[in-house]
Amino acid sequence: MESVENSHGTVQSPLTLSEDEWNSALKTNSKGTWLVSKYVCLRMCAAKKGGSIINISSISGVNRGHVPGGLAYSSSKAAVNTTTKVMCHKI
């Protein structure tokens, strides 16, 4: 495996957002990105060939999150950005 690209997204209204919907958004956007990145990286390291992991986030994870219904979405995309930066420095 030489590369992988992660791009997920779910949006729900922040005023009617249930705890299950919040958990679903974070599970899909943040946890999904982390797990795919983790296991692909382990395979790349084992193969000693290198490669690329491309995590596509959103401007709403960086700049105030002005996405209608984007409370959980923006929060999870900020988590994707941080996960990507930390993994980059640890690998």
Side-chain angles (χ1 to χ4, degrees), residues 16-83:
T16 60
L17 186 68
S18 71
E19 188 173 345
D20 286 339
E21 290 169 328
W22 171 270
N23 289 337
S24 177
L26 267 75
K27 184 177 180 180
T28 300
N29 298 346
S30 303
K31 186 177 180 179
T33 297
W34 165 65
L35 286 173
V36 170
S37 297
K38 174 184 175 178
Y39 289 108
V40 168
C41 184
L42 289 171
R43 288 191 65 175
M44 287 179 180
C45 290
K48 298 184 182 186
K49 288 185 171 182
S52 298
I53 299 174
I54 302 165
N55 293 326
I56 298 174
S57 179
S58 170
I59 191 67
S60 69
V62 177
N63 189 11
R64 300 175 290 181
H66 286 154
V67 174
L71 174 64
Y73 178 82
S74 298
S75 299
S76 66
K77 292 304 182 175
V80 168
N81 295 341
T82 301
T83 299

